[in-house]
Amino acid sequence: MSDIFDDIESEVQSYARAFPVIFDKAEGAYLYDMDGNAYLDFLAGAGTLNYGHNNPKLKAALLEYIERNGIAHGLDMHTRAKELFLEALNERIFKPRGLNYMVQFTGPTGTNAVEAALKIARNVKGRTNILAFTNGFHGVSLGAMAATGNSHHRDASGIHLSGVSHIPYDNYMGDRLDTIALMESMLEDSSSGLDHPAAVIVETIQGEGGLNVAQAEWLREVERLCRKHDMLLIVDDIQAGCGRSGSFFSFEESGIKPDIVTLSKSLSGYGLPFAVTLIKPEYDTWKPGEHNGTFRGNNHAFVTATAALDNYWADDTFQQELAGKIELLKSRLEKIASGYDKTLIKAKGRGFMRGLECRDGELAEKICRLCFKSNLIIETSGADDQVVKCLCPLTITKDELNKGLDILEKSVHAILEKEVSKAS
Ligand SMILES: *Cc1c(COP(=O)(O)O)cnc(C)c1O
């Protein structure tokens, strides 16, 4: 393999270390290296490729747009591509769900959308503090970083991270702690030391934090506390949104109505950088240009995002098909973990965002590395990288899903057999 990556690419490389080959092509649920070896992709751009690599429907729309010299970059000017995207979002997503949001085009990455969300919430409420949860992940720019829990990321900031208080996420200490009661007491006790927050930011399923799931009832309680204590409710749906949870938004099941929602990762559907912050009209108090950015008009992303909405979200066919695959993933993960002590391995997650929580990061790492030897690309998440995370494209076929899960199953058994025999 060429040495150029060692020679001049920064040490900050991460995924590249786990999968040390040079990839060249990709299609659907497969990546191909330079020698033409195929790898089944259960990482899917960390949740960015919900519709698979080079999805033919999205690709066709993009090629046609490029061919006719459609605008590629348009600052935030009105373009035909943006008009069509807004119409599709309104017709296919907002209206059927009874949602009413203003769409802010932020810089193109997730963390940009989070920065905008935190900024508008602070401005609207005239307060600094934001409540975020343990194991939350919201990005690595300073504002979003302050809301992120992970010390590996926080420690790299080099500056004091401020303006956020962290409190326990749902089920943080199991039955030993009623996290809602704690949050309510903290908010009500004028001596708790908690500065009155402008907003609460929450992931309904914590992606990077290890597939922790907030129960629907818990989310409704968080919403109740937001209303009671005059705080905005921000749902960071960057990873769990765009169908990953089984519905377009991850909060649909709970029935909550967030004041602000962030979307990115699979929003363009094609891996093109694109992020938005959705804001209830009454909180859209921005002055013109107050928050800006050069890359808020990635029109190629608008084109593929529109094609994704038109092809997959015009009716519930896609969602119905996905429901079957979710059942398959869930039951197979449970079967893989059955027969082992729950402290050694257990299935967790929700929707098509599921995985296996291992006793420690070392075990999870060994499982992923063994999977890679069988050409399955799969990664870990969680505070100690202890969760093996399946983020397959939503468009994966059941055969491909089973094939990948066969590899995962064999790898888990091979690694855990050694553990069990070590223990006995
Ligand atoms: C990935 C992610 C982000 C950050 O997105 P970037 O594009 O990496 O900046 C923020 N929030 C959540 C929930 C994410 O999964």
Side-chain angles (χ1 to χ4, degrees):
M1 190 157 78
S2 138
D3 290 332
I4 194 74
F5 302 106
D6 280 344
D7 289 349
I8 69 165
E9 189 180 356
S10 161
E11 288 298 322
V12 79
Q13 298 168 52
S14 60
Y15 296 106
R17 297 172 191 274
F19 310 110
V21 297
I22 300 180
F23 295 105
D24 187 37
K25 290 187 184 184
E27 195 180 343
Y30 284 95
L31 279 161
Y32 299 89
D33 68 17
M34 298 285 284
D35 302 322
N37 299 310
Y39 300 82
L40 202 43
D41 188 3
F42 273 28
L43 175 59
T48 304
L49 296 157
N50 282 2
Y51 311 99
H53 292 271
N54 288 308
N55 182 296
K57 290 169 178 156
L58 279 54
K59 182 165 74 177
L62 182 59
L63 287 175
E64 194 211 66
Y65 184 80
I66 291 175
E67 190 57 41
R68 74 169 181 83
N69 283 334
I71 288 170
H73 174 270
L75 292 170
D76 74 351
M77 286 186 279
H78 291 172
T79 62
R80 178 67 178 144
K82 189 196 271 191
E83 182 178 36
L84 290 173
F85 167 70
L86 287 171
E87 279 171 9
L89 186 65
N90 202 28
E91 294 301 322
R92 309 230 183 271
I93 304 298
F94 291 173
K95 282 189 185 168
R97 291 164 182 77
L99 296 170
N100 189 15
Y101 288 118
M102 301 303 280
V103 182
Q104 178 181 1
F105 295 89
T106 66
T109 67
T111 203
N112 287 133
V114 171
E115 294 291 342
L118 299 179
K119 199 192 263 190
I120 194 74
R122 285 176 172 132
N123 281 326
V124 164
K125 292 298 175 193
R127 297 179 215 126
T128 303
N129 202 24
I130 302 283
L131 268 190
F133 293 97
T134 48
N135 286 299
F137 182 85
H138 302 288
V140 298
S141 56
L142 286 179
M145 185 81 263
T148 293
N150 192 306
S151 60
H152 172 63
H153 291 120
R154 291 178 69 87
D155 289 352
S157 300
I159 193 172
H160 183 61
L161 297 169
S162 60
V164 176
S165 300
H166 280 89
I167 48 169
Y169 190 69
D170 190 15
N171 201 34
Y172 186 61
M173 291 171 70
D175 295 338
R176 286 181 296 154
L177 179 68
D178 179 342
T179 54
I180 293 293
L182 175 72
M183 188 173 160
E184 189 154 22
S185 303
M186 296 283 288
L187 287 163
E188 276 164 21
D189 180 354
S190 61
S191 227
S192 68
L194 181 67
D195 295 328
H196 188 182
V200 171
I201 184 164
V202 64
E203 294 159 275
T204 65
I205 307 162
Q206 294 182 322
E208 298 310 298
L211 300 177
N212 307 312
V213 176
Q215 300 304 306
E217 180 56 27
W218 186 86
L219 289 170
R220 287 190 288 270
E221 284 292 283
V222 169
E223 183 182 48
R224 178 180 67 78
L225 291 177
C226 284
R227 304 296 166 239
K228 187 173 172 195
H229 292 281
D230 186 38
M231 309 179 290
L232 296 188
L233 176 58
I234 304 169
V235 170
D236 181 349
D237 231 6
I238 288 169
Q239 190 161 149
C242 300
R244 179 57 60 182
S245 71
S247 52
F248 187 83
F249 291 111
S250 69
F251 52 82
E252 288 175 40
E253 176 194 60
S254 69
I256 61 168
K257 293 265 159 76
D259 300 300
I260 299 174
V261 181
T262 54
L263 288 176
S264 182
K265 292 206 164 84
S266 272
L267 182 58
S268 80
Y270 204 70
L272 295 170
F274 185 22
V276 293
T277 302
L278 309 178
I279 309 167
K280 276 192 182 165
E282 58 269 41
Y283 304 125
D284 182 29
T285 57
W286 292 115
K287 295 183 189 73
E290 207 176 18
H291 187 87
N292 65 13
T294 307
F295 289 105
R296 289 172 299 144
N298 182 357
N299 280 251
H300 290 171
F302 300 161
V303 170
T304 54
T306 306
L309 295 176
D310 288 347
N311 281 291
Y312 295 100
W313 299 97
D315 57 39
D316 67 358
T317 315
F318 177 62
Q319 222 177 305
Q320 295 293 341
E321 269 175 33
L322 179 58
K325 287 182 255 185
I326 289 173
E327 262 320 301
L328 177 62
L329 177 63
K330 177 174 186 283
S331 62
R332 285 212 57 183
L333 288 175
E334 278 165 4
K335 183 160 167 288
I336 291 172
S338 68
Y340 297 105
D341 194 278
K342 277 196 169 53
T343 57
L344 192 58
I345 193 165
K346 67 166 190 269
K348 72 188 295 197
R350 176 162 84 78
F352 219 41
M353 200 164 165
R354 291 175 187 274
L356 295 165
E357 172 145 38
C358 302
R359 186 190 58 210
D360 52 51
E362 202 186 315
L363 267 188
E365 184 66 22
K366 279 186 192 161
I367 291 167
C368 291
R369 295 298 71 86
L370 195 56
C371 286
F372 185 59
K373 287 198 176 138
S374 301
N375 291 21
L376 175 67
I377 295 194
I378 188 165
E379 256 296 359
T380 58
S381 79
D384 304 308
D385 299 318
Q386 79 282 19
V387 181
V388 177
K389 183 163 85 159
C390 298
L391 280 183
C392 328
L394 309 184
T395 50
I396 195 170
T397 64
K398 280 195 173 172
D399 279 352
E400 291 165 341
L401 183 57
N402 273 318
K403 195 175 154 198
L405 289 168
D406 288 344
I407 296 172
L408 179 60
E409 181 164 39
K410 274 202 198 110
S411 305
V412 167
H413 292 334
I415 298 292
L416 291 192
E417 228 157 71
K418 290 184 209 155
E419 286 305 309
V420 174
S421 62
K422 234 194 280 174
S424 61

